[in-house]
């Protein structure tokens, strides 16, 4: 099954105490790089979230966003720092006596001083929160995976289509190659006649030898066989029931490009050269698509 590394998945989940929204976005990357953005107070759940995402995403730059909205007051605690309040009271009394300032130190004034009273998150049941977040992340990961599978099918269809176009080019080059040596031999004979005329007999053995040397230098059979083999390998990898290896596909495409370059450099025929240019264009399109495969 082909999966694209590019995708998006979203989910919303409520456990009665909090509403959790999870969004997963991914793009191409050489390795599996997962980053989680979430409220700091829930950072204890980060590794669990990453492990859930890794179950479906094996490669890519993956950003996970977790948003939590508390719908009850159970997660909030008002903390009182009596030690600090006592110090404030003592110091204020000291100021009154030193400077002879009138007025009372009221409860309202004292409680409003920095850090005497503050609301703090109270997360007591980590397992419960991890369970709620896991449910939200699993649903988002499922939606993310569904989108990547849909995109992967399109990539697979396009790659196979272009592979068959290249296979057609290979057949065309094979047909032309069979005629190139004979054409070279005729052109060589005609060229010699232009230079020396008909007064001297042209040694046929020499022409055959030159043609054989040319045929050996310009022979691209090995390259064409490899190209055909690479196309079959790509179809085989994509057609497997298990997930294909994007890195392996990328390597095969590099080898295809190498064989196409060698074919073009060996060929002295303009027709073959033009076909190789078209072939390389299709190989590049496959390379771009393979870059998206997990």
């Amino acid at each position: 099954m082909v999966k694209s590394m590019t995708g998006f998945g979203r989910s919303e989940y409520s456990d009665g105490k909090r509403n959790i929204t999870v969004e997963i976005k991914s793009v191409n990357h050489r390795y599996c790089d997962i980053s989680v953005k979430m409220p700091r107070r829930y950072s204890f759940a980060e590794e669990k979230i990453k492990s859930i995402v890794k179950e479906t995403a094996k490669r890519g730059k993956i950003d996970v966003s977790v948003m939590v909205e508390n719908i009850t007051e159970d997660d909030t605690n008002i903390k009182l720092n009596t030690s600090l309040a006592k110090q404030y009271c003592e110091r204020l009394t000291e100021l009154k006596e030193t400077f002879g300032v009138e007025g009372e130190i009221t409860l309202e004034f004292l409680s409003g001083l920095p850090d005497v009273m503050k609301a703090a998150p109270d997360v007591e049941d980590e397992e419960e929160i991890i369970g709620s977040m896991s449910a939200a992340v699993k649903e988002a990961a499922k939606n993310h995976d569904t989108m990547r599978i849909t995109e992967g099918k399109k990539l697979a269809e396009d790659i196979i289509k272009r592979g068959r176009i290249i296979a057609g080019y290979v057949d065309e080059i094979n047909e032309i190659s069979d005629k190139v040596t004979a054409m070279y031999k005729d052109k060589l004979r005609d060229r010699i006649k232009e230079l020396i005329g008909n007064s001297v007999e042209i040694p046929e053995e020499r022409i055959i030898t030159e043609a054989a040397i040319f045929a050996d230098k310009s022979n691209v059979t090995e390259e064409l066989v490899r190209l055909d083999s690479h196309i079959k390998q790509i179809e085989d990898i994509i057609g497997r029931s298990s997930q294909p290896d994007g890195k392996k596909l990328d390597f095969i495409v590099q080898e295809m490009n190498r064989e196409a370059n060698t074919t073009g450099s060996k060929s002295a025929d303009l027709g073959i050269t033009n076909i190789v240019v078209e072939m390389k264009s299709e190989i590049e399109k496959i390379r771009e698509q393979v870059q998206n495969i997990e």
Side-chain angles (χ1 to χ4, degrees), residues 16-32:
K17 293 182 179 179
R18 57 193 71 83
N19 294 328
I20 302 171
T21 303
V22 177
E23 292 183 351
I24 301 177
K25 302 176 184 177
S26 63
V27 294
N28 302 357
H29 197 272
R30 190 174 180 182
Y31 306 107
C32 183

Side-chain angles (χ1 to χ4, degrees), residues 54-154:
K54 283 181 181 179
E55 290 176 6
T56 54
K58 308 302 180 186
R59 196 158 69 105
K61 176 69 175 68
I62 306 164
D63 294 319
V64 183
S65 173
V66 181
M67 294 158 281
V68 182
E69 177 191 7
N70 292 316
I71 55 179
T72 69
E73 298 179 357
D74 293 348
D75 285 346
T76 304
N77 232 350
I78 302 298
K79 293 190 175 181
L80 174 63
N81 192 331
T82 54
S83 175
L84 183 63
K86 181 180 179 182
Q87 291 185 56
Y88 274 128
C89 193
E90 291 173 351
R91 298 297 176 269
L92 288 169
T93 301
E94 186 179 333
L95 283 173
K96 283 180 61 178
E97 293 174 354
T98 301
F99 296 103
V101 178
E102 296 295 331
E104 296 183 0
I105 303 172
T106 65
L107 177 62
E108 182 181 0
F109 175 76
L110 190 62
S111 64
L113 291 173
D115 298 326
V116 173
M117 296 180 69
K118 61 181 179 179
D122 182 25
V123 180
E124 296 181 353
D125 194 343
E126 292 187 0
E127 289 300 320
E128 176 187 322
I129 293 173
I130 289 176
S132 297
M133 285 191 176
S134 296
V137 172
K138 285 178 181 178
E139 184 64 23
K142 178 182 176 183
N143 295 334
H144 174 246
D145 200 43
T146 299
M147 182 175 178
R148 294 191 306 122
I149 291 171
T150 301
E151 183 65 23
K153 288 179 181 178
K154 295 177 183 177

Side-chain angles (χ1 to χ4, degrees), residues 94-213:
E94 186 179 333
L95 283 173
K96 283 180 61 178
E97 293 174 354
T98 301
F99 296 103
V101 178
E102 296 295 331
E104 296 183 0
I105 303 172
T106 65
L107 177 62
E108 182 181 0
F109 175 76
L110 190 62
S111 64
L113 291 173
D115 298 326
V116 173
M117 296 180 69
K118 61 181 179 179
D122 182 25
V123 180
E124 296 181 353
D125 194 343
E126 292 187 0
E127 289 300 320
E128 176 187 322
I129 293 173
I130 289 176
S132 297
M133 285 191 176
S134 296
V137 172
K138 285 178 181 178
E139 184 64 23
K142 178 182 176 183
N143 295 334
H144 174 246
D145 200 43
T146 299
M147 182 175 178
R148 294 191 306 122
I149 291 171
T150 301
E151 183 65 23
K153 288 179 181 178
K154 295 177 183 177
L155 293 175
E157 290 170 1
D158 187 72
I159 290 170
I160 291 174
K161 180 185 74 174
R162 297 190 186 283
R164 288 171 183 169
I165 291 173
I166 294 170
Y169 288 145
V170 169
D171 291 339
E172 288 182 40
I173 294 174
N174 267 320
E175 290 179 13
I176 297 173
S177 296
D178 293 339
K179 303 171 185 176
V180 167
T181 302
M183 291 171 62
Y184 174 79
K185 186 162 60 175
D186 292 339
K187 286 181 180 180
L188 180 61
R189 187 181 289 107
D190 293 341
R191 181 60 177 158
I192 294 173
K193 286 181 179 179
E194 287 179 13
L195 294 173
I196 64 176
N198 296 321
S199 56
V200 179
E201 185 177 353
I202 303 171
E204 188 66 21
E205 294 81 5
R206 183 61 181 170
I207 291 177
I208 292 173
T209 300
E210 289 295 330
I213 293 172

